[in-house]
């Protein structure tokens, strides 16, 4: 089976390719369980993480993933300073490209930049989050973690709760999970809910979203939404949408809890829930590395 | 009488229809004869069409202050190549054109350049800040033909009402970029299925129609309560209509006899928000590309005349700026050089849109808005003309543009109907007959 030479989103990825990629992630998980967590799969390749929007967690996860497969890694923290000075993404990326880089891991606050980069550079590009649009490796690690716990996603109801409108995690999960058989319900305050979200049904009623849910994914609430007048206040949000012990009882008894991190404890969820046995948050972080190793492997080497 | 140019065996076509073949003799700025004669220069034009020159009521030529994007020379040269003999330039330059001296300076520079003729629009309010009116009378005397704060939306209805009353009293039409800034928020594309999926901030169709509804009520107030009349031109002109709903409001207002007019751009007639799926800032424009239903409605509005004219909203930027991301890249599409062949190909050839009607929207329609009489293809008429090739097929090649903006959403589109010669008052300002083989 051959694979697309990029991961911009899941367009062009079939269910079989995704399942095979998750299978590779399982093998990588075994590598990570060994005393020496290193394989030579990507020896000779140079990978660049280019983060125009800072995210230490995601960057470290990708860099470790690359190193564990023996790739050389360079990192460029663009923030928005160089682009603010008038240097375009294109200039920055072309400059880097003179240094013999084989694949780019790109993170930006604006949708579409990874697509633009892929067109300019004609090199493998992995989207590490572009604006509100997509965060495919996060969705893959969420799916991987859910599969680990639930066995299969066929017919399973997954609730995503929070600021859906501005969430790349929600969009990528709504794109990916239904392909693996799941049914996605997205729930949030009316002003933070788009009118359409392909792959998901939408509701402003938390109970409706959580009832009979097989798993619950909670999103981070950004304080900025208050400043922009999209929400009256944090207490107002908590009153309607905070995931509490009592509300989680609407879901199926063992339904696990996911969060892409970083968490605002006692805002989008009760702090105690985050540490409960229902929480898969730490598992998500660990699986993130295995999934990113699998993605790098498929995008760079391509064949099994 | 001896002429300067003889255009032989050319087919005459204007807003009234096709008038058969003629040998058009041009001299001293006028059409001398349609029956041939002696001339120093003879153009063999069998298979070509001759029409009145186009007038663009809406172009951003960026001078002064943003000459790196475009200047009068590159912009007016691009216009001439596009078959335009006349161009209305928007005043949102740096600084904005809000003083009579600035208007006069633009006029004199454009005359020296000698390409398409420039008709500056000036700001409706000082600094385009939407507060204090500009010196409309002096500005008109300096050569401005229109007042507008385009690029900004006139938020304060009271200021707009004062501006409309005053402009009408000195004989100038007012044009508005009708869009509610609050509803638009940070929208970078049409709000709808595509924007929700792409996770891009949306600009709802109702940002346009809500503002049009308000502005129409202002016009109704002025005309019905205060007796304001515009003599020979439009009182209020709506720029770059993009939505079905906005069009419906204008259609209804015209039916009721309100003195308003409206324009539509080449991009809103040929592209939709689906193009944004390519995640390419090339398609980022204000107002945004809307849905196919909106596009079809606009086509209908252009056909029936609810939309009076095609305005390019030619809005050049540097390639670097357009290579920023979708949030940061500026709004705008350059189109002076392709507007006619684009709409001739996509509307007339592919959709069966009547050619005379399309010509009306490029010639008489925009002239009417400014209170100018139409140009007819008859002896004695002003020889501001475009010669174009209905069968000449050629792809859009941005690198050959005279405009400084060498990119285009239509790059590679195979178009026909390209202008091959443009005359301003009998003077050839553009000729490219090499491509054309009779
Ligand atoms: Zn405008």
């Amino acid at each position: 089976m051959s694979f697309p030479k990029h991961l911009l989103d899941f367009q062009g990825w079939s269910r079989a390719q995704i399942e095979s990629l998750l299978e590779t992630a399982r093998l990588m998980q075994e590598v990570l369980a060994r005393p020496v967590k290193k394989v030579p799969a990507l020896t000779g390749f140079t990978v660049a993480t280019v983060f125009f929007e800072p995210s230490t967690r995601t960057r470290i996860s990708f860099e470790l993933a690359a190193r564990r497969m023996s790739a050389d890694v360079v990192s460029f923290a663009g923030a928005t300073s160089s682009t603010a000075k008038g240097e375009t993404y294109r200039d920055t990326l072309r400059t880097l490209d003179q240094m013999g880089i084989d694949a780019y891991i790109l993170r930006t606050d604006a949708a579409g930049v990874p697509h633009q980069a892929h067109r300019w550079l004609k090199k493998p590009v992995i989207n590490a989050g572009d604006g509100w649009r997509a965060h495919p490796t996060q969705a893959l690690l969420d799916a991987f973690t859910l599969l680990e716990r639930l066995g299969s996603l066929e017919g399973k109801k997954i609730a995503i709760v929070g600021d859906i409108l501005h969430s790349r995690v929600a969009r990528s999960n709504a794109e990916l999970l239904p392909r693996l058989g799941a049914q996605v319900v997205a729930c949030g305050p009316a002003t933070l809910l788009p009118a359409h979200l392909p792959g998901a049904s939408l509701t402003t009623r938390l109970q409706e979203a959580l009832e009979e849910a097989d798993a619950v994914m909670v999103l981070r609430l950004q304080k900025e939404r208050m400043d922009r007048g999209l929400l009256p206040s944090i207490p107002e949000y908590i009153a309607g949408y905070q995931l509490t012990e009592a509300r989680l009882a609407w879901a199926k008894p063992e339904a696990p809890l996911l969060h892409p991190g970083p968490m605002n404890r006692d805002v989008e969820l009760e702090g105690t829930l985050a540490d409960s046995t229902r929480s898969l948050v730490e598992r998500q972080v660990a699986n993130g590395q295995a999934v990113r190793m699998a993605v790098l492997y498929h995008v760079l080497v391509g064949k099994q | 009488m001896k002429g300067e140019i003889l255009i032989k065996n050319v087919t005459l076509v204007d807003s009234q229809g096709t008038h058969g073949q003629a040998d058009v003799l041009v001299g001293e700025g006028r059409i001398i004869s349609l029956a041939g004669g002696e001339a120093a220069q003879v153009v063999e034009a069998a298979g070509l069409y001759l029409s009145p020159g186009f007038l663009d009521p809406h172009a951003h030529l960026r001078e002064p202050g943003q000459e790196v994007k475009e200047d009068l020379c590159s912009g007016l040269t691009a216009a001439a190549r596009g078959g335009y003999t006349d161009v209305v330039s928007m005043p949102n330059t740096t600084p904005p054109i809000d003083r009579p001296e600035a208007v006069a300076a633009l006029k004199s520079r454009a005359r020296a350049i000698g390409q398409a003729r420039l008709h500056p629009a000036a700001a409706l309010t000082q600094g385009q800040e939407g507060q204090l009116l500009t010196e409309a009378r002096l500005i008109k005397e300096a050569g401005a033909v229109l007042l507008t704060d385009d690029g900004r939306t006139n938020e304060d209805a009271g200021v707009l009402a004062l501006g409309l009353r005053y402009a009408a009293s000195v004989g100038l039409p007012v044009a508005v970029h009708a869009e509610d800034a609050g509803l638009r928020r940070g929208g970078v594309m049409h709000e709808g299925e595509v924007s929700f999926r792409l996770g891009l901030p949306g600009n709802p169709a109702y940002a346009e129609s809500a503002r049009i509804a308000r502005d129409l009520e202002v016009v109704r107030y002025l005309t019905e309560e205060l007796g304001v009349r515009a003599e020979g031109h439009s009182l209020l002109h709506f720029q770059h209509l993009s939505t079905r709903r906005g069009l419906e409001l204008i259609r209804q207002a015209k039916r009721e006899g309100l003195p308003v007019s409206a324009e539509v751009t080449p991009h809103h007639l040929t592209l939709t928000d689906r193009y944004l799926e390519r995640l390419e800032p090339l398609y980022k424009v204000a107002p945004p590309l809307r849905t196919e239903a909106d596009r079809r409605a606009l086509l209908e509005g252009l056909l029936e005349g609810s939309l009076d004219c095609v305005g390019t909203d030619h809005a050049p930027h540097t390639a670097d700026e357009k290579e920023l991301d979708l949030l940061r890249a500026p709004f705008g599409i350059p189109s002076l050089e392709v507007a006619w062949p684009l709409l001739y190909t996509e509307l007339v050839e592919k959709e069966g849109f009547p050619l005379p009607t399309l010509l009306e929207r490029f010639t008489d329609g925009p002239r009417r808005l400014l209170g100018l009489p139409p140009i007819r293809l008859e002896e004695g008429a002003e020889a501001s003309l475009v010669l174009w090739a209905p069968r000449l097929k050629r792809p859009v090649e941005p690198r050959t543009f005279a405009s400084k903006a060498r990119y285009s959403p239509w790059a590679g589109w195979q178009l026909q109907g390209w202008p091959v010669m443009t005359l301003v008052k009998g003077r050839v300002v553009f000729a490219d007959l090499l491509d054309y083989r009779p």
Side-chain angles (χ1 to χ4, degrees):
Chain A
M1 190 183 298
S2 71
F3 288 84
K5 292 283 175 218
H6 56 75
L7 179 65
L8 304 171
D9 44 45
F10 298 112
Q11 274 212 9
W13 286 79
S14 68
R15 177 170 183 163
Q17 284 165 332
I18 289 162
E19 280 171 345
S20 157
L21 190 137
L22 293 174
E23 186 51 45
T24 308
R26 255 182 292 275
L27 301 175
M28 296 303 178
Q29 217 177 13
E30 285 167 26
V31 170
L32 293 174
R34 293 180 202 159
V36 178
K37 302 173 178 53
K38 197 149 181 159
V39 288
L42 297 185
T43 306
F45 286 103
T46 305
V47 172
T49 55
V50 184
F51 277 45
F52 290 105
E53 180 193 63
S55 168
T56 312
R57 296 160 56 115
T58 306
R59 188 170 52 78
I60 289 175
S61 177
F62 268 112
E63 290 180 4
L64 275 177
R67 291 210 171 95
R68 298 214 190 281
M69 291 193 295
S70 307
D72 292 319
V73 180
V74 295
S75 82
F76 177 85
T80 36
S81 59
S82 58
T83 43
K85 272 185 270 161
E87 192 181 4
T88 63
Y89 291 122
R90 185 174 182 160
D91 292 337
T92 307
L93 289 165
R94 280 203 169 151
T95 304
L96 286 171
D97 210 45
Q98 297 310 305
M99 304 182 199
I101 283 153
D102 299 297
Y104 292 84
I105 296 158
L106 213 55
R107 164 93 146 208
T108 57
D109 66 346
V113 177
H115 286 75
Q116 291 173 277
H118 186 59
R119 279 195 288 266
W120 297 328
L121 302 170
K122 300 183 169 55
K123 292 259 179 79
V125 172
I126 296 166
N127 183 358
D130 64 330
W132 309 339
R133 197 189 71 89
H135 194 357
T137 58
Q138 177 71 41
L140 284 167
L141 77 87
D142 291 338
F144 187 84
T145 308
L146 284 166
L147 283 167
E148 214 175 37
R149 175 62 72 99
L150 302 175
S152 149
L153 292 184
E154 209 58 63
K156 297 283 162 48
K157 176 180 173 182
I158 316 290
I160 307 179
V161 180
D163 177 358
I164 308 296
L165 183 63
H166 303 98
S167 175
R168 51 187 165 218
V169 176
R171 279 186 186 76
S172 280
N173 270 293
E175 196 183 358
L176 178 67
L177 297 178
R179 292 216 213 164
L180 300 171
Q183 171 207 345
V184 176
V185 182
C187 174
T191 47
L192 298 179
L193 211 54
H196 318 266
L197 181 65
S201 58
L202 298 165
T203 177
T204 56
R205 298 201 185 94
L206 187 58
Q207 185 167 357
E208 188 182 311
L210 294 187
E211 245 158 17
E212 294 302 305
D214 293 281
V216 184
M217 190 180 295
V218 179
L219 304 174
R220 177 181 169 81
L221 182 73
Q222 302 212 269
K223 302 263 184 348
E224 187 201 325
R225 307 302 167 225
M226 259 56 72
D227 305 338
R228 293 192 48 222
L230 292 167
L231 270 181
S233 72
I234 299 265
E236 175 77 11
Y237 180 84
I238 289 172
Y241 298 96
Q242 185 185 65
L243 193 69
T244 62
E245 204 86 55
R247 287 167 170 174
L248 189 55
W250 288 327
K252 285 197 179 156
E254 294 302 307
L257 172 64
L258 290 86
H259 191 299
M263 261 184 276
N264 295 310
R265 280 168 190 268
D266 296 314
V267 178
E268 60 260 11
L269 80 176
E270 265 179 350
T272 49
L273 269 183
D275 309 316
S276 74
T277 52
R278 305 277 287 265
S279 169
L280 294 180
V281 176
E282 285 173 5
R283 201 68 205 143
Q284 284 173 278
V285 176
N287 288 340
Q289 218 182 105
V291 163
R292 289 178 175 122
M293 288 167 79
V295 169
L296 279 165
Y297 178 77
H298 282 299
V299 163
L300 274 165
V301 183
K303 292 202 194 323
Q304 280 187 301
Chain B
M1 188 179 170
K2 197 166 153 62
E4 287 144 30
I5 301 169
L6 176 65
I7 305 169
K8 283 186 71 176
N9 300 310
V10 76
T11 301
L12 303 181
V13 51
D14 64 13
S15 61
Q16 308 305 302
T18 304
H19 309 292
Q21 288 206 343
D23 294 342
V24 180
L25 187 67
V26 169
E28 288 174 349
R30 314 225 146 247
I31 295 177
I32 298 172
S33 160
L34 298 177
E38 291 278 301
Q41 187 187 352
V42 178
V43 176
E44 176 47 61
L48 296 178
Y49 284 1
L50 188 69
S51 301
F54 308 143
L55 187 152
D56 184 3
H58 191 155
H60 296 271
L61 301 185
R62 306 299 190 202
E63 190 173 328
Q66 299 170 313
E67 288 85 352
V68 60
K69 297 173 191 268
E70 194 83 288
D71 58 31
L72 286 187
C73 186
S74 63
L76 294 172
T77 305
R81 289 184 175 209
Y84 288 94
T85 51
D86 300 271
V87 178
V88 178
S89 59
M90 291 295 112
N92 61 335
T93 48
T94 333
I97 306 297
D98 63 353
R99 302 269 311 141
E101 300 77 42
V103 173
L106 282 181
K107 286 287 285 186
S108 85
R109 231 180 88 58
R111 261 194 301 273
I113 288 164
Q115 286 281 330
R117 285 176 296 205
L118 182 72
H119 307 273
L124 178 66
T125 61
Q126 295 174 31
Q128 291 196 307
E129 280 168 4
Q131 308 282 329
L132 304 168
L133 301 184
T134 51
E135 301 160 311
R137 185 180 303 277
L138 296 173
I139 278 172
K140 187 186 180 189
E141 282 168 13
V145 298
L146 178 80
L147 297 177
T148 179
D149 285 344
D150 183 39
R152 306 280 286 270
T153 59
N154 292 100
E155 295 300 307
D156 189 320
V159 174
L160 180 65
L162 290 175
L164 283 169
R165 285 173 78 178
Y166 195 75
S169 77
V170 305
L172 281 178
V174 171
V176 286
H177 177 130
E179 192 170 46
D180 187 282
L183 282 174
R184 168 183 172 170
R185 290 178 78 94
V188 302
M189 68 172 291
H190 171 68
E191 180 179 279
E193 208 192 310
V194 182
S195 75
F196 289 127
R197 177 154 38 86
L198 298 183
L200 281 167
N203 169 340
Y206 293 88
E208 177 173 282
S209 54
R211 177 51 60 81
I212 289 175
R214 185 203 77 172
D215 289 355
L216 287 171
E217 285 300 281
V218 170
V219 169
R220 196 184 304 276
Y221 157 55
L222 295 181
T223 54
E224 293 180 6
E225 294 292 322
L226 303 181
V228 172
R229 294 280 170 273
E231 303 297 338
H233 57 79
S234 176
L235 179 65
L236 180 59
H237 176 71
F238 291 98
Q239 298 173 310
H240 42 51
L241 253 282
S242 70
T243 64
R244 180 185 57 78
R245 185 64 196 134
L247 171 69
E248 277 169 8
L249 292 170
I250 285 165
R251 177 185 289 142
Q252 182 61 28
K254 285 187 154 191
R255 208 170 276 157
E256 293 169 17
L258 290 185
V260 296
S261 56
E263 78 195 18
V264 63
T265 71
H267 44 274
H268 290 110
L269 290 168
T270 55
L271 306 170
T272 67
D273 65 339
R274 299 300 299 265
Y275 281 86
L276 268 302
E277 288 175 343
R278 303 178 186 188
L279 293 162
E280 174 58 74
L282 210 53
Y283 303 98
K284 183 176 170 184
V285 65
L289 301 174
R290 303 284 185 184
T291 66
E292 178 63 11
D294 291 305
R295 190 187 77 85
R296 299 238 52 109
L298 295 173
L299 216 52
E300 192 58 40
L302 189 70
L303 181 67
E304 74 191 15
S306 299
L307 301 175
D308 302 80
C309 53
V310 171
T312 61
D313 195 8
H314 175 80
H317 296 287
T318 66
D320 278 357
E321 289 171 305
K322 273 302 209 187
E323 278 169 6
L324 293 170
D325 59 80
L326 280 154
L327 297 184
R328 290 173 192 81
F331 295 97
I333 287 172
S335 54
L336 274 169
E337 277 153 280
V338 297
W340 176 258
L342 176 72
L343 295 190
Y344 176 74
T345 306
E346 297 299 310
L347 271 49
V348 176
E349 290 289 326
K350 292 192 184 161
E351 306 250 15
F353 196 96
L355 173 59
T357 308
L358 187 63
L359 274 170
E360 205 278 342
R361 310 296 184 246
F362 270 75
T363 57
D364 305 358
R367 295 178 70 89
R368 201 168 47 240
L369 145 73
L370 302 176
L372 300 171
I375 292 177
R376 296 276 170 257
L377 299 171
E378 55 197 24
E379 290 178 9
E382 177 186 311
S384 291
L385 305 165
V386 54
L387 183 66
W388 56 283
R391 304 261 73 81
L392 170 60
K393 255 190 209 167
R394 201 172 69 200
V396 175
E397 287 182 89
R399 63 189 168 78
T400 67
F401 283 176
S403 168
K404 291 185 182 178
R406 304 230 161 96
Y407 55 84
S408 170
W410 303 286
W413 287 32
Q414 201 70 26
L415 302 181
Q416 57 191 95
W418 293 92
V420 293
M421 186 182 256
T422 306
L423 296 97
V424 173
K425 273 203 155 177
R427 200 164 43 81
V428 176
V429 293
F430 160 66
D432 180 14
L433 293 155
L434 289 178
D435 254 354
Y436 162 70
R437 309 260 180 282

